[in-house]
Amino acid sequence: MTPILFNFTDAELSDFITEMGQPKFRAKQIREWLNRGAPDFSVMKNLPEKLRNDLDKIAQTLPLRVVKKLESSDDQTTKFLMELYDGEQIECVLMRTSYGNSVCVSSQAGCAMGCKFCASTLLGLRRNLTTNEIFAQVLIAQWELRRDRTDTQSVRPNGDANNGDVSHIVIMGTGEPLQNTENVIGFIERANRDLGIGWRRITLSTCGIVDGIRELIKWARPINLAISLHAPTDELRSQIMPINNKYKLQSVLDTAFEFSSLHNRQLMIEYILLARRNASGDIELVNCTTEHADLLAKLLNGKNCMVNLIPWNTVDERNFAAPSGNAVHRFQDRLISHGIHTRIRRERGNDIGSACGQLRLKSAKNKA
Ligand code: SAH
């Protein structure tokens, strides 16, 4: 296996470099480049060209390699398809916004949760990502942002309005982070320590693994927690999210509110709006009728939370449809009439398959 220098300790890196007949300080220079997310050795301009070429033949910089980069027509969203050392592929999305630059990272290759509307889980779980593999996704996004600012060939040659580095992280890519809790916590601590990203700017989204939320309660860092709720009753939730057979809706909410109130934070509730075509070809709402809004409002009444409404992103393999804009607004208005804070999640990067797991799935199909 090609050595991945990012995974080496400082001592290992120093041995590796001195064994190549190089002075020790080169290891320090290389470490600085690795910490900045250098995608390959050619960019390490303070190393002699011969060393860069030699390294390129025998080693790799980061634990992931970008195999595809897609730019959305909104000009602010970049999606990366990345390959790991064992050929597994994952996705990561960089979103440039007026409040900062946000990166959506994957925590697993594939997913075992089996949610009926999602593309990520269609090929099952392949494996957990290591802390380094999750962290390197942020470094790659950071490298891209710095390139925006310096590379005149870039689509955004002068950088963005906010002109900064990665400021926010959402753990909402492929995978269930609370099935890989140790590595995900390791990742969050490192992002906070090494990149200075505040706890409050990091959001972990879970389908509702109560035992995992309990671990977060013990860990006691004030990150944002998002719960993928998607239905207001156990009956409906179990139909679309198999995890609900293990952890019931009320216990998920109780534990999640326990976490968020511990840190005086607002709990984020993710709610996908799903419709489906019935036998006569008409669109019917699955989880977003007026009655569903009333039930959801009852569940959340008086709680400190924000409901993010997410019109379903089409996944060809899945038997759902997106509700009309009118239906979305009716659902939102009904929640608001009950005093529930809600917003409609702006769909970003739809044209580049930014919904969970779409790009990875397409790539796996092309390979087959
Ligand atoms: N496993 C975690 C995080 C990954 S999924 C979780 O369940 O929260 C991130 C979010 O995208 C979840 O809310 C998930 O339900 C949602 N999602 C999955 N497929 C989607 C689709 N096709 N359209 C819109 N949202 C989707």
Side-chain angles (χ1 to χ4, degrees), residues 138-317:
V138 181
L139 290 185
I140 286 175
Q142 184 112 293
W143 184 271
E144 186 69 14
L145 286 170
R146 289 182 180 171
R147 218 177 58 93
D148 282 352
R149 302 201 291 271
T150 53
D151 182 355
T152 47
Q153 303 298 309
S154 160
V155 248
R156 289 164 293 269
N158 301 313
D160 304 290
N162 60 64
N163 211 26
D165 286 337
V166 171
S167 56
H168 292 71
I169 292 174
V170 292
I171 308 169
M172 270 190 202
T174 298
E176 171 45 51
L178 296 183
Q179 286 228 308
N180 186 17
T181 313
E182 194 181 326
N183 292 343
V184 166
I185 285 185
F187 157 69
I188 297 174
E189 289 186 336
R190 186 147 171 209
N192 176 261
R193 186 188 64 221
D194 294 358
L195 302 177
I197 299 178
W199 305 116
R200 292 178 163 75
R201 294 182 163 202
I202 300 176
T203 302
L204 183 152
S205 176
T206 175
C207 63
I209 312 271
V210 171
D211 295 330
I213 304 172
R214 294 234 156 273
E215 284 181 61
L216 296 181
I217 292 174
K218 269 194 236 137
W219 177 55
R221 301 297 190 283
I223 60 165
N224 290 310
L225 183 63
I227 299 294
S228 296
L229 203 67
H230 306 333
T233 62
D234 276 321
E235 194 195 350
L236 179 57
R237 195 165 190 267
S238 296
Q239 281 170 26
I240 57 175
M241 299 177 74
I243 191 67
N244 197 68
N245 292 306
K246 179 158 185 199
Y247 299 111
K248 294 286 181 254
L249 206 160
Q250 197 58 56
S251 75
V252 172
L253 281 180
D254 287 348
T255 321
F257 279 118
E258 188 180 330
F259 176 83
S260 59
S261 53
L262 198 69
H263 307 294
N264 231 339
R265 308 289 297 157
Q266 191 175 52
L267 184 68
M268 267 171 66
I269 303 287
E270 308 286 295
Y271 201 97
I272 301 183
L273 302 166
L274 292 166
R276 137 178 322 141
R277 222 166 258 289
N278 64 18
S280 41
D282 299 328
I283 295 268
E284 61 186 32
L285 302 176
V286 173
N287 66 345
C288 42
T289 62
T290 313
E291 292 72 39
H292 291 127
D294 293 345
L295 290 165
L296 181 61
K298 212 165 156 198
L299 276 178
L300 303 177
N301 183 26
K303 304 281 194 193
N304 184 12
C305 64
M306 166 65 75
V307 179
N308 280 317
L309 299 175
I310 315 162
W312 185 64
N313 274 315
T314 306
V315 178
D316 292 341
E317 292 75 5

Side-chain angles (χ1 to χ4, degrees), residues 26 41-42 44-57:
R26 295 280 179 222
F41 296 101
S42 70
M44 302 185 178
K45 295 293 185 206
N46 54 355
L47 302 188
E49 197 181 342
K50 175 154 184 344
L51 176 58
R52 282 186 261 149
N53 291 337
D54 289 350
L55 281 167
D56 194 45
K57 284 182 204 122

Side-chain angles (χ1 to χ4, degrees), residues 71-127:
E71 297 286 349
S72 168
S73 56
D74 69 13
D75 246 13
Q76 301 300 316
T77 310
T78 308
K79 180 153 191 171
F80 303 91
L81 182 69
M82 301 169 177
E83 192 159 282
L84 311 176
Y85 75 90
D86 55 0
E88 289 300 332
Q89 293 193 333
I90 56 161
E91 300 173 22
C92 160
V93 187
L94 165 63
M95 292 159 284
R96 302 162 183 84
T97 72
S98 53
Y99 62 82
N101 296 307
S102 182
V103 184
C104 174
V105 297
S106 292
S107 56
Q108 297 182 309
C111 183
M113 295 297 98
C115 297
K116 298 285 185 257
F117 43 78
C118 178
S120 285
T121 197
L122 279 168
L123 301 172
L125 174 66
R126 303 289 303 182
R127 69 172 173 85

